[in-house]
Amino acid sequence: MSFASAEISSLIEKLEEDESSQQQEQQQSLPVKYFNQLIESFLDAGAAVKRKKRANQIYRDIADQRITLERAIKLLGKLSRNQKSGWFANKSNQD
């Protein structure tokens, strides 16, 4: 699979996930949203450090050819999505 097709599949995946996250947001009640935002604000600093370490490990894996570019794109995309606000609510909805 070429880099371009991996990038296209990554974009399609992002669009599908954005649509599903918008539907989930509309279904949550206001107290739940507030609670999730409160918890997220406390956990965000630690999560940022973990995301940075994970991203650096992915870049090292690319350099050492331990993972493919397609897999790296998916993993880095997931890290980027977790950086946006609402990552805690999304994570708690997946469990």
Side-chain angles (χ1 to χ4, degrees):
M1 182 174 265
S2 71
F3 181 73
S5 61
E7 192 65 29
I8 290 171
S9 65
S10 175
L11 289 173
I12 290 171
E13 183 180 299
K14 286 179 188 177
L15 286 174
E16 291 171 351
E17 287 179 4
D18 284 347
E19 287 175 5
S20 67
S21 68
Q22 286 176 353
Q23 290 172 353
Q24 288 175 353
E25 276 184 28
Q26 292 172 351
Q27 293 173 354
Q28 285 184 339
S29 65
L30 288 177
V32 172
K33 283 184 182 180
Y34 177 75
F35 177 75
N36 283 340
Q37 287 175 349
L38 184 67
I39 297 298
E40 183 178 318
S41 66
F42 285 113
L43 298 176
D44 201 36
V49 172
K50 287 181 183 179
R51 284 192 304 268
K52 177 148 175 94
K53 286 182 181 180
R54 181 74 173 129
N56 286 338
Q57 181 61 50
I58 291 169
Y59 293 132
R60 283 193 296 272
D61 289 345
I62 293 170
D64 295 338
Q65 297 180 344
R66 286 190 291 240
I67 63 173
T68 63
L69 282 178
E70 181 180 313
R71 174 106 173 122
I73 289 169
K74 286 182 181 181
L75 292 172
L76 291 169
K78 186 176 179 181
L79 287 176
S80 294
R81 284 186 295 277
N82 287 345
Q83 186 174 1
K84 296 176 185 174
S85 63
W87 63 266
F88 180 76
N90 292 339
K91 194 171 199 172
S92 63
N93 287 336
Q94 290 174 356
D95 294 340

